[in-house]
Amino acid sequence: MNKIAFIGVGIMGRSMVRNLMKAGFELHIYARTRSKVEDVISEGATFHDTIADCVKDAEAVITIVGFPTDVEEVYFDAGNILDSAKEGAYLIDMTTTSPMLDQKIAEEGTKRGFHVLDAPVTGGDTGAKNGTLSILVGGSREDYEACMPLFEAMGTNINYQGESGCGQHAKLANQIMIAGTLSGVCEALTYAKAKGLDLQTVLDSVSTGAAGSKQLDTFGPKILAGDYAPGFFLKHFVKDMKLALTEANMSNLNLDVLSQVLANYELLQAEGCGDLGTQALIKYYEEEMDV
């Protein structure tokens, strides 16, 4: 497996493409706007104007796009991957999307002779840049093992979760954990600020104790600096939480924390914060303090 087609060269995808090229893979990419990927083209990736042309000779096709509608488009709309990839290719969806949608892709893809995996990632833009992503894989174990060289070029914590769709379920569990943790960080900082504490001292004091977390380490300093640049878009986190809540409802689960955090983020998105990073949740609490 050497010739790889990559669809979705965004914040995460750009670094993943670079790491695949560093590992010796031949990368063919498609993006809606060529000017946005000129950097990776100059570094050796081959650009194609259509998805069909990009995937036609690839031994593996990797997708990491924005929303479930985008996944539907690249796999099922005119000029799509399923109609254009060569038989026997490995189709790996690394988007965080609906488990049911990836099961649909797997069912249709298997009928057509493809090897289909869902393999969403976690680790943000930093993990993508450093090649240290956690990769959560669903599908056939045999296909998972066959694609291990690809996964190892992009991540370090790579785990088989089970049959098709299980990678997505594991990722949604991850997002539920993040929702609760990051909201806790924001609430704690809001409380400390209201009580007149020095926020940097608070961070230094609690980060190595029982309250320590990667969310605190990653976003605490950014919140204090007023840095809302996206390592992961707020609007994409809203999408992920909605997917998780839908799946929870289907299993008759009442996830109160997830529901409340989603409502807070949706308010921020309605106020035009969708393209900020997830740490912009602190803005919700700042607005509450101003009331």
Side-chain angles (χ1 to χ4, degrees), residues 16-139:
M16 294 160 76
V17 165
R18 287 185 170 123
N19 286 328
L20 285 164
M21 289 193 292
K22 287 177 185 175
F25 293 100
E26 178 186 332
L27 265 292
H28 294 255
I29 64 172
Y30 167 81
R32 290 181 178 134
T33 308
R34 176 178 176 132
S35 61
K36 293 182 178 180
V37 294
E38 287 291 352
D39 51 354
V40 290
I41 295 172
S42 69
E43 293 166 27
T46 301
F47 181 82
H48 297 267
D49 292 318
T50 66
I51 289 174
D53 189 50
C54 183
V55 306
K56 66 180 181 180
D57 296 319
E59 294 155 298
V61 178
I62 296 173
T63 53
I64 182 164
V65 292
F67 294 89
T69 52
D70 299 312
V71 177
E72 284 269 8
E73 178 183 337
V74 299
Y75 280 97
F76 293 104
D77 283 4
N80 65 62
I81 293 167
L82 289 170
D83 286 343
S84 307
K86 68 178 183 179
E87 185 175 348
Y90 289 82
L91 309 182
I92 309 167
D93 183 26
M94 304 187 83
T95 314
T96 300
T97 189
S98 163
M100 292 182 290
L101 175 54
D102 269 348
Q103 287 172 323
K104 175 184 173 183
I105 295 169
E107 181 178 349
E108 183 62 29
T110 300
K111 287 179 185 176
R112 301 191 190 196
F114 297 116
H115 305 275
V116 185
L117 295 169
D118 52 286
V121 302
T122 182
D125 60 332
T126 300
K129 288 175 184 175
N130 296 335
T132 57
L133 291 169
S134 295
I135 304 177
L136 312 147
V137 188

Side-chain angles (χ1 to χ4, degrees), residues 140-208:
S140 156
R141 181 178 283 276
E142 183 179 358
D143 293 343
Y144 159 77
E145 292 172 352
C147 292
M148 188 58 72
L150 289 175
F151 297 142
E152 289 177 337
M154 298 179 283
T156 52
N157 186 13
I158 305 156
N159 292 283
Y160 178 69
Q161 306 294 329
E163 63 185 17
S164 178
C166 286
Q168 295 296 348
H169 284 304
K171 177 59 186 290
L172 295 181
N174 178 85
Q175 301 304 74
I176 293 168
M177 293 181 202
I178 289 175
T181 305
L182 186 51
S183 64
V185 169
C186 291
E187 290 196 357
L189 291 175
T190 300
Y191 175 84
K193 182 177 181 180
K195 295 303 181 182
L197 300 178
D198 180 80
L199 298 187
Q200 186 61 58
T201 301
V202 172
L203 284 187
D204 294 341
S205 302
V206 305
S207 62
T208 59

